[in-house]
Amino acid sequence: MCNMSEYRIKIHQLSPSDMTSLKLFLGFFLQFIFLLSVVNAQGLTVGFYSQTCPQAEAIVKNVTAQVMSVAPSLGAPLMRMHFHDCFVRGCDGSVLLNSSTNQAEKDAAPNLSLRGFQIIDRVKSALENACPGVVSCADILALVARDVVVALDGPSWKVETGRRDGSVSNITEALTNLLPPSSNITQLISGFQQKGLSVKDLVVLSGGHTVGTSHCSAFTSRLYNFTGNGDTDPSLDPNYIARLKIKCPQGDQNTLVEMDPGSFRTFDEDYFTLVNKRRGLFQSDAALLNNNETRAYVISQLSNSSSTFFTDFGVSMVNMGRIGVLTGTAGEIRKVCALVN
């Protein structure tokens, strides 16, 4: 072996053309190392399956499109499923796992209203037929979430893939980590920051409430017994309270109410108009007016011509999709999304 002084002498003895070649090589090498470190730092990349299952995203898109053409009401629940997966143990597909003793995440009260598990199974079956043991259930959730938003006339974005599936699903962790609709702004900001998400991510992802429905049970305390004295929530528009009381008589827990009345199957910016008018369905919606940054964002989205919501939503979905991911040799690729291998 030569010592460093010998090495330096040999470098200086190279011809100009050799020096140019060496510099080019070192430049490419360092660039490669940098890119590799970026990918490894997140463990995810766009087009992760381009070599192992090139048709993966097309298969997901085709199955999702078939479902949405006949059951568009499943769009919001399938998008919400990705949220609920990522906020508990990270985006690892654990929300899909079954428990023989009903102690999995999907058995927790906040997840009992999730729908569309059979659609994820259908997508997984199609992928297994094309590329056995390659595409994770966690990635399926992320891809389906994007594709249902597109089907609801919302934005598209490039989904990072490369997640692997977790093998643990715990009902208590779901109860602890999923923010309830009664959350105030302090709880919301804290909950998002604990997951590595920003205040902007909070208000942007709240915009997902532009689609879907909710059971009366999620908000009737605002109508009938807000502080325990038979009163209403003063942050909710009184005229809207009157309309909601017609839809949700006292004691009604099961009737479904549109989150964005009139366009609950269209992904648009109207949610922010509702929040600004004090007509957000949940306390967590109303809470967005109680913080300078979130309130400013709500107001900035009121004009459709200057709204950045569609672009911002894609960015925040990518951010959320990076929470606690399993990559490399961690986790597994489940053959059936509801069962550990």
Side-chain angles (χ1 to χ4, degrees):
M1 292 180 64
C2 62
N3 59 35
M4 287 303 293
S5 61
E6 291 173 330
Y7 177 74
R8 284 195 293 269
I9 291 170
K10 290 178 180 180
I11 288 291
H12 288 309
Q13 290 174 343
L14 290 174
S15 68
S17 62
D18 289 338
M19 283 293 291
T20 301
S21 298
L22 180 61
K23 287 178 180 178
L24 285 172
F25 170 75
L26 288 174
F28 285 124
F29 179 74
L30 291 173
Q31 204 170 29
F32 172 75
I33 293 297
F34 171 75
L35 291 172
L36 190 63
S37 68
V38 169
V39 172
N40 286 341
Q42 299 169 354
L44 304 175
T45 185
V46 173
F48 180 83
Y49 299 108
S50 60
Q51 299 299 316
T52 54
C53 189
Q55 66 272 49
E57 293 199 28
I59 290 172
V60 176
K61 181 179 181 180
N62 289 339
V63 176
T64 303
Q66 291 169 13
V67 170
M68 292 296 289
S69 68
V70 296
S73 63
L74 284 175
L78 285 167
M79 178 185 69
R80 185 166 157 246
M81 197 181 293
H82 182 42
F83 280 71
H84 283 222
D85 182 44
C86 290
F87 268 74
V88 185
R89 302 190 71 85
C91 310
D92 67 345
S94 53
V95 73
L96 303 171
L97 287 170
N98 289 338
S99 165
S100 59
T101 57
N102 299 321
Q103 293 298 304
E105 289 174 31
K106 64 168 57 172
D107 301 305
N111 286 332
L112 293 179
S113 60
L114 290 180
R115 296 185 298 128
F117 290 104
Q118 76 280 13
I119 307 307
I120 302 301
D121 292 339
R122 189 186 303 181
V123 173
K124 178 62 171 174
S125 178
L127 287 167
E128 285 296 304
N129 286 337
C131 314
V134 174
V135 182
S136 70
C137 300
D139 277 345
I140 291 173
L141 285 174
L143 291 166
V144 168
R146 188 265 312 275
D147 291 343
V148 296
V149 169
V150 172
L152 294 169
D153 298 328
S156 183
W157 60 92
K158 292 183 178 180
V159 176
E160 295 177 337
T161 45
R163 300 168 190 81
R164 289 171 65 85
D165 299 320
S167 57
V168 176
S169 187
N170 185 289
I171 188 172
T172 304
E173 291 182 349
L175 293 170
T176 302
N177 286 278
L178 293 174
L179 295 163
S182 58
S183 298
N184 61 39
I185 192 62
T186 301
Q187 294 165 331
L188 290 169
I189 292 174
S190 174
F192 271 65
Q193 287 180 339
Q194 287 174 20
K195 304 300 179 185
L197 299 177
S198 68
V199 174
K200 183 176 181 179
D201 290 324
L202 159 62
V203 63
V204 170
L205 293 174
S206 295
H209 289 168
T210 187
V211 289
T213 58
S214 170
H215 290 98
C216 294
S217 57
F219 59 88
T220 47
S221 64
R222 304 184 75 195
L223 310 181
Y224 298 105
N225 198 30
F226 188 61
T227 65
N229 296 310
D231 54 346
T232 59
D233 183 350
S235 70
L236 189 58
D237 173 28
N239 293 324
Y240 196 40
I241 289 176
R243 289 169 54 186
L244 289 173
K245 282 186 173 181
I246 294 173
K247 293 180 177 293
C248 297
Q250 195 160 8
D252 184 342
Q253 301 291 302
N254 299 317
T255 296
L256 289 172
V257 175
E258 298 173 5
M259 292 189 195
D260 185 351
S263 64
F264 74 106
R265 289 182 181 174
T266 302
F267 195 99
D268 54 30
E269 305 91 345
D270 287 354
Y271 166 80
F272 298 104
T273 300
L274 290 173
V275 169
N276 191 53
K277 290 181 176 179
R278 297 167 54 212
R279 293 188 172 192
L281 199 57
F282 307 128
Q283 284 174 253
S284 60
D285 297 323
L288 298 179
L289 297 178
N290 297 331
N291 171 272
N292 289 338
E293 185 175 349
T294 55
R295 183 173 63 253
Y297 187 86
V298 169
I299 294 171
S300 73
Q301 303 307 307
L302 299 182
S303 171
N304 288 348
S305 61
S306 60
S307 173
T308 60
F309 174 51
F310 275 29
T311 299
D312 295 338
F313 191 79
V315 172
S316 290
M317 286 294 280
V318 170
N319 292 341
M320 185 186 73
R322 295 171 177 169
I323 298 174
V325 293
L326 300 173
T327 59
T329 58
E332 62 182 5
I333 303 297
R334 279 186 235 137
K335 297 176 182 177
V336 178
C337 288
L339 303 173
V340 175
N341 290 345

